[in-house]
Amino acid sequence: MSNNVLELRNIMKVYSNGVVANKNVSFELKEGEIHAVVGENGAGKSTLMKILFGMERPSSGEIIFKGSKVEIENSNKAIDMGIGMVHQHFMLVPSFTVVQNMILGIEPKKGINIDYNKATQMIKELGDKYNLRVDPEMKVKDLSVGMKQKVEILKALLRGAKILILDEPTAVLTPQETEELFVQLMKLKDNGHTIIFISHKLKEVKSICDKVTIIRKGVTYGTYNVADVTQSQISNLMVGRNVVLKYDKSKSEAGKAVLNVKGVSCKGAEGKELLKDIQFTANKGKILGIAGVEGNGQRELINVITGGRRNYDGEVLFNDKNIRSMNVKALRKSGMSYIPEDRMTQGVAASAAISENLAANRYESQEIKSGILMDVKKLSKLANKLVEDYDIVCKSIAQKVESLSGGNIQKVVVARECSIEPDILIAEQPTRGVDVGAAEIIHKEILKLRDRGAAVLLVSADLSEAMELSDALLVMYEGEFVAYIDNPSETTEEELGLYMLGVKKQSREEIRRAVNEF
Amino acid sequence: MRSLLDIILTPDFAFSAIRVTTPLLFAALGALISDRAGAANIGLEGIMLMAALAGVVFSAYTQSALIGLLGAILIGLLTASMLAYFTLKLKTDVILGGIALNFFANGGTIFVLYYLTGDKGTSASLASMVLPNIHIPVIRNIPILGEIVSGHNVLTYIAILSAIGVWYVLEKTALGLRIRSVGENENAAKSVGVNVMKIRYIALALSGVFAGMGGAFLSMGYVSWFSRGMSAGRGWIALAAEAMGRGTVLGTTLSSVLFGVADALSNTLQLLNIPAELIRILPYVATVVGLLAYAIRETNKRKAKG
């Protein structure tokens, strides 16, 4: 008998709307291994994990658990089987304490009351055993992202999980937190747990996983010993073509300063300082990166610059005009483009057509109008051109945006924002949760835009993206800049990590180099 | 002005404020528990109305006040469950479902009343029962305090106990933890195997029970008959009280008392020489002012956040 704890055979999943998420998925999970599942967005990884965790039922195919065929009807069944899941978007109740989150659904009782003493005891013991320590009395909303993830892992362990599914666990972590997570995962492995590790980051797959299963367009393309394949081999199997991980970036000359941020500060509801004396200049023909762990003021800063927040000190000049007096429409008219972080709520109108979304930033221009009416012919001509230029994979331009995969939705946003030839592009996490193939296209478009002479302000929590694309890089920590790096591709992730976590800080003069006086 | 203060600063006024707060508090607790589970019940107004009629009808035909009360609670439970079935199982919009329920109650109660009594206005011809008043031993003899807190309808005391009970369930028990988790992050609850639909069902059913008791109080305590439209917007005021109380039991109770005081004031002021129409709008003005204050604070909070 094999020592497979779990085996999937020819799984197919067709959603009721006709979308085929999994065509033919097979893989075997051996006890005590860390098994990576890699694939592009929309390749069917999430659906596969949902099937394993009982959130979706397969249309056909078999799941073999410890040698016998099983049906995983719901999450309770999966939990009973010893399968635990750490979701990419944490499944935690923010206003609850750590204890409350952990015991939800399996509350120990004393009479009709919840026995919190016993619960705290249980969690302490478990934390000691796996070296995962979290203060049980803290409210989850006050925890850092890394801590929240620990809570999620403990939650699964508390429910007796032997097989842990981690859905892109490092997407939100700093390099240091990632290291820590890996140490913990190794410890879990030593304790006999089996881990399914879903990731886009091939370097991480190489460093921690034993096996890797590749999935492309709903079909698995084999399982390999990680030691036997290189990163570029995995990447080729994932996308079915060669992917450039380094870009040929020509040197570009800094042009006119378009955006000038002078001493911007602001406070939050509880009087907490969100931004502290932020100063920098963005020049035409240059990509200025802003790196940092999320929640260190990046969002507030972008909010100020894009006209979403009025309540701040200091001033922001865009093409020498103070933006305080401009609304979003005026900002866009004077040459600002914006790729927002949250594409589903801010980036697109999900239930509108691809063509409509593509034209959303030029609905007043004669580009898509004849007289006062919209010209459907002009619109479809424009949309078809953009779909082709930006390689948006879709059946037709009349299709609803929400029916596309994440990467293609993002391409719609990028196409719309880059194709109007802005003076500045504000790109906020432009490739978040996007597959390698789509990320490459998006990166290339951003570089092209720079080469055509636009300024780009790139906010990214993805260090390799920030380092690879930026001509200069600012690091943000707790609402202020702590470093200005003028040759980002020559620094290391570890070095940046130290700045991002506030361990290191440059002198005021060094950071002030981000401002060019004129 | 002098005489106004004379009226307000009396035990009688405090007593009457507690009395009129009772149905508001019941309905507000119903709003609270359903809202905390993420399935706000806006059909409270209609449920109260139907329960008020049920109390009168059941007690008239059985000549038992207790059966009348149980009948009112049962109708409250059934109508709330019906709303739950439509919104949770059949996926009707919860707001539309609530509105439909309110309209149904409005017409349905008049129809039943007419069918039973031949009268479209009140149930005066039905010999319905009222629920007893409770005089608390010892406390009743304390001057002022006794006059204020003793001698209320039994449902008034049940309302106070219910508020404490709801607090206890929400804060101390597993059911409460699950209700709160379902209301705050449905997916988190689902991911650990909490049956979201069941929890919402329970919460809506409980809200029906509370609204049922509120309705019973109207027709079997506050007055001793049913009259058309007698819930008079209390179900809506209760929703406002819950929102103003920000979903906490204490806040909701205090907001209910505030609206109760406004209501009592409008009753009392009718003794003075002020146009009755003007006075009757007082509780509703209080509602609007309350909601406005709440909205302004929320907006400021959001502004500060950016």
Side-chain angles (χ1 to χ4, degrees):
Chain A
M1 215 198 91
S2 64
N3 58 343
N4 292 340
V5 274
L6 195 64
E7 208 178 317
L8 297 180
R9 286 188 196 152
N10 308 105
I11 294 286
M12 181 160 95
K13 171 72 188 174
V14 184
Y15 283 104
S16 53
N17 61 3
V19 173
V20 184
N22 287 166
K23 265 186 217 146
N24 185 358
V25 169
S26 301
F27 85 96
E28 294 167 4
L29 194 64
K30 290 208 174 12
E31 187 149 17
E33 68 181 5
I34 302 186
H35 193 127
V37 175
V38 298
E40 292 192 277
N41 274 94
K45 289 176 310 214
S46 314
T47 303
L48 177 60
M49 294 309 130
K50 280 182 185 160
I51 289 173
L52 279 179
F53 197 56
M55 294 156 82
E56 297 284 355
R57 305 285 298 276
S59 312
S60 67
E62 292 182 339
I63 301 173
I64 314 288
F65 179 68
K66 291 184 177 161
S68 50
K69 194 170 174 250
V70 288
E71 300 274 331
I72 310 177
E73 292 107 2
N74 51 43
S75 300
N76 279 339
K77 179 78 188 285
I79 293 168
D80 289 344
M81 287 164 57
I83 299 175
M85 178 135 179
V86 176
H87 298 265
Q88 188 180 1
H89 304 285
F90 297 138
M91 295 291 180
L92 298 169
V93 184
S95 76
F96 282 14
T97 63
V98 170
V99 182
Q100 287 174 328
N101 267 291
M102 288 209 201
I103 60 170
L104 182 62
I106 50 164
E107 303 86 354
K109 285 181 197 138
K110 198 162 70 185
I112 62 162
N113 290 3
I114 296 175
D115 188 349
Y116 280 113
N117 288 335
K118 191 171 164 205
T120 311
Q121 191 57 33
M122 270 157 48
I123 289 156
K124 282 231 167 84
E125 276 167 22
L126 198 66
D128 288 345
K129 184 171 168 198
Y130 294 104
N131 202 18
L132 284 158
R133 288 197 184 80
V134 195
D135 180 356
E137 305 301 328
M138 289 266 285
K139 288 234 164 99
V140 161
K141 64 179 174 200
D142 299 327
L143 295 180
S144 70
V145 177
M147 293 296 257
K148 282 183 192 157
Q149 195 170 55
K150 281 187 196 169
V151 175
E152 282 281 27
I153 295 174
L154 277 171
K155 225 172 91 181
L157 293 174
L158 189 66
R159 286 165 174 74
K162 297 297 283 177
I163 302 173
L164 270 178
I165 306 170
L166 289 107
D167 190 2
E168 294 190 35
T170 62
V172 286
L173 300 183
T174 61
Q176 280 77 359
E177 283 173 329
T178 303
E179 289 281 315
E180 207 185 321
L181 172 72
F182 284 179
V183 172
Q184 280 150 2
L185 291 185
M186 292 311 278
K187 181 143 187 154
L188 284 170
K189 181 184 156 180
D190 293 342
N191 271 298
H193 290 269
T194 311
I195 294 164
I196 302 179
F197 185 89
I198 303 170
S199 183
H200 283 135
K201 298 178 186 166
L202 302 183
K203 206 165 77 185
E204 293 174 356
V205 171
K206 278 299 270 183
S207 76
I208 187 168
C209 299
D210 304 306
K211 292 273 179 58
V212 56
T213 293
I214 292 144
I215 176 167
R216 188 204 320 159
K217 292 184 178 157
V219 180
T220 41
Y221 282 77
T223 300
Y224 302 86
N225 282 322
V226 169
D228 301 342
V229 283
T230 65
Q231 279 190 50
S232 57
Q233 279 171 321
I234 301 175
S235 146
N236 288 349
L237 281 167
M238 259 169 72
V239 292
R241 63 190 150 87
N242 286 316
V243 176
V244 185
L245 289 174
K246 290 250 174 218
Y247 299 102
D248 292 324
K249 219 166 84 179
S250 55
K251 266 225 150 313
S252 78
E253 283 308 307
K256 181 177 161 286
V258 277
L259 185 72
N260 207 356
V261 177
K262 293 180 171 174
V264 166
S265 302
C266 74
K267 284 197 172 100
E270 289 83 33
K272 189 187 164 213
E273 280 193 295
L274 298 174
L275 292 174
K276 290 175 220 162
D277 193 25
I278 293 291
Q279 324 208 21
F280 69 88
T281 320
N283 295 299
K284 284 197 153 194
K286 287 281 179 196
I287 297 177
L288 178 63
I290 296 180
V293 181
E294 273 175 82
N296 275 288
Q298 298 95 318
R299 191 168 301 160
E300 286 76 17
L301 176 60
I302 295 303
N303 241 334
V304 167
I305 295 170
T306 53
R309 185 188 181 106
R310 304 269 165 200
N311 181 9
Y312 60 88
D313 299 323
E315 59 184 28
V316 180
L317 301 180
F318 178 47
N319 279 335
D320 300 329
K321 270 195 298 198
N322 195 330
I323 67 156
R324 209 182 275 276
S325 57
M326 298 161 90
N327 57 21
V328 174
K329 189 171 169 184
L331 276 173
R332 280 192 170 265
K333 263 208 163 134
S334 44
M336 184 182 283
S337 263
Y338 175 37
I339 300 172
E341 175 181 4
D342 185 346
R343 59 177 162 267
M344 291 319 283
T345 59
Q346 274 189 287
V348 294
S351 58
I354 295 172
S355 58
E356 290 163 344
N357 271 289
L358 283 169
N361 59 347
R362 59 199 93 183
Y363 63 96
E364 284 192 328
S365 108
Q366 286 299 318
E367 216 181 323
I368 61 158
K369 276 165 68 179
S370 297
I372 59 162
L373 296 176
M374 200 163 83
D375 186 329
V376 183
K377 272 187 201 140
K378 283 187 185 174
L379 175 62
S380 35
K381 201 175 142 207
L382 170 82
N384 279 319
K385 184 177 181 302
L386 290 178
V387 162
E388 192 168 319
D389 288 355
Y390 290 81
D391 199 16
I392 299 165
V393 183
C394 61
K395 290 194 204 90
S396 107
I397 54 163
Q399 210 180 326
K400 283 183 180 179
V401 158
E402 64 195 353
S403 63
L404 300 177
S405 72
N408 282 304
I409 295 177
Q410 189 69 353
K411 281 190 239 166
V412 170
V413 179
V414 172
R416 178 182 73 213
E417 298 299 332
C418 291
S419 57
I420 53 166
E421 301 307 325
D423 286 341
I424 189 166
L425 170 71
I426 317 275
E428 202 179 1
Q429 320 285 5
T431 58
R432 147 116 358 122
V434 158
D435 58 77
V436 192
E440 186 195 349
I441 294 173
I442 292 167
H443 288 157
K444 281 189 171 157
E445 289 302 332
I446 290 175
L447 284 170
K448 271 194 229 162
L449 191 68
R450 176 200 77 152
D451 292 340
R452 294 202 296 267
V456 177
L457 185 64
L458 171 74
V459 177
S460 182
D462 177 348
L463 287 187
S464 50
E465 171 178 85
M467 288 160 63
E468 194 61 41
L469 287 185
S470 308
D471 294 303
L473 190 58
L474 282 156
V475 185
M476 225 172 165
Y477 175 71
E478 293 204 328
E480 59 183 333
F481 289 141
V482 290
Y484 175 78
I485 294 155
D486 49 12
N487 51 348
S489 53
E490 272 152 50
T491 181
T492 62
E493 293 200 5
E494 285 67 31
E495 171 90 4
L496 280 180
L498 292 174
Y499 288 122
M500 281 164 65
L501 289 176
V503 181
K504 268 177 80 175
K505 191 177 172 180
Q506 286 181 351
S507 71
R508 220 181 128 69
E509 287 66 38
E510 281 177 291
I511 299 167
R512 282 280 292 186
R513 289 178 300 159
V515 184
N516 37 9
E517 311 288 350
F518 55 95
Chain B
M1 215 51 211
R2 185 65 236 164
S3 60
L4 177 64
L5 280 179
D6 283 345
I7 293 171
I8 293 174
L9 295 175
T10 57
D12 277 354
F13 180 76
F15 182 90
S16 123
I18 292 176
R19 201 164 82 99
V20 297
T21 298
T22 305
L24 289 177
L25 182 57
F26 271 127
L29 289 174
L32 173 71
I33 200 143
S34 59
D35 188 44
R36 289 300 289 270
N41 181 357
I42 70 155
L44 290 168
E45 175 81 5
I47 296 176
M48 275 216 279
L49 195 59
M50 284 192 277
L53 178 62
V56 164
V57 172
F58 278 84
S59 70
Y61 285 96
T62 62
Q63 286 301 303
S64 156
L66 180 66
I67 294 180
L69 173 63
L70 293 177
I73 292 175
L74 182 72
I75 291 296
L77 181 69
L78 286 180
T79 40
S81 305
M82 194 172 75
L83 179 65
Y85 180 75
F86 284 141
T87 58
L88 300 177
K89 188 83 188 173
L90 304 178
K91 308 283 176 208
T92 324
D93 185 88
V94 68
I95 302 295
L96 286 180
I99 290 174
L101 181 59
N102 289 330
F103 278 118
F104 171 72
N106 227 343
T109 48
I110 297 171
F111 173 75
V112 172
L113 186 66
Y114 181 68
Y115 183 76
L116 292 177
T117 68
D119 188 334
K120 289 181 185 171
T122 68
S123 68
S125 62
L126 286 175
S128 60
M129 312 293 285
V130 291
L131 291 158
N133 291 340
I134 306 275
H135 296 278
I136 311 168
V138 187
I139 292 178
R140 65 185 295 184
N141 298 324
I142 303 172
I144 302 176
L145 183 72
E147 286 173 64
I148 296 172
V149 302
S150 179
H152 284 286
N153 190 280
V154 59
L155 278 175
T156 300
Y157 300 109
I158 293 179
I160 295 165
L161 293 177
S162 297
I164 297 168
V166 168
W167 174 83
Y168 191 87
V169 167
L170 283 177
E171 296 300 323
K172 300 285 176 192
T173 69
L175 177 65
L177 193 71
R178 291 176 189 194
I179 288 178
R180 288 189 287 147
S181 73
V182 165
E184 189 173 336
N185 188 347
E186 190 182 329
N187 290 329
K190 222 184 274 171
S191 77
V192 292
V194 170
N195 187 336
V196 174
M197 202 185 277
K198 183 174 132 199
I199 296 292
R200 293 218 164 117
Y201 222 105
I202 293 172
L204 276 174
L206 281 173
S207 84
V209 168
F210 288 128
M213 290 198 276
F217 177 82
L218 290 177
S219 66
M220 302 176 68
Y222 195 63
V223 293
S224 57
W225 60 85
F226 174 84
S227 65
R228 62 189 292 175
M230 80 184 307
S231 48
R234 286 184 178 86
W236 301 110
I237 294 176
L239 288 173
E242 196 265 347
M244 236 169 85
R246 305 183 60 203
T248 64
V249 176
L250 184 63
T252 302
T253 306
L254 292 178
S255 308
S256 303
V257 170
L258 181 72
F259 290 132
V261 168
D263 208 356
L265 202 58
S266 80
N267 288 342
T268 311
L269 288 183
Q270 286 176 24
L271 304 174
L272 300 176
N273 222 355
I274 304 172
E277 291 76 14
L278 199 64
I279 293 160
R280 269 190 228 117
I281 67 169
L282 250 184
Y284 308 101
V285 170
T287 312
V288 172
V289 170
L291 284 179
L292 195 68
Y294 173 73
I296 288 172
R297 210 183 55 189
E298 285 296 298
T299 315
N300 283 343
K301 234 189 320 185
R302 261 202 304 278
K303 256 191 204 151
K305 261 189 203 157

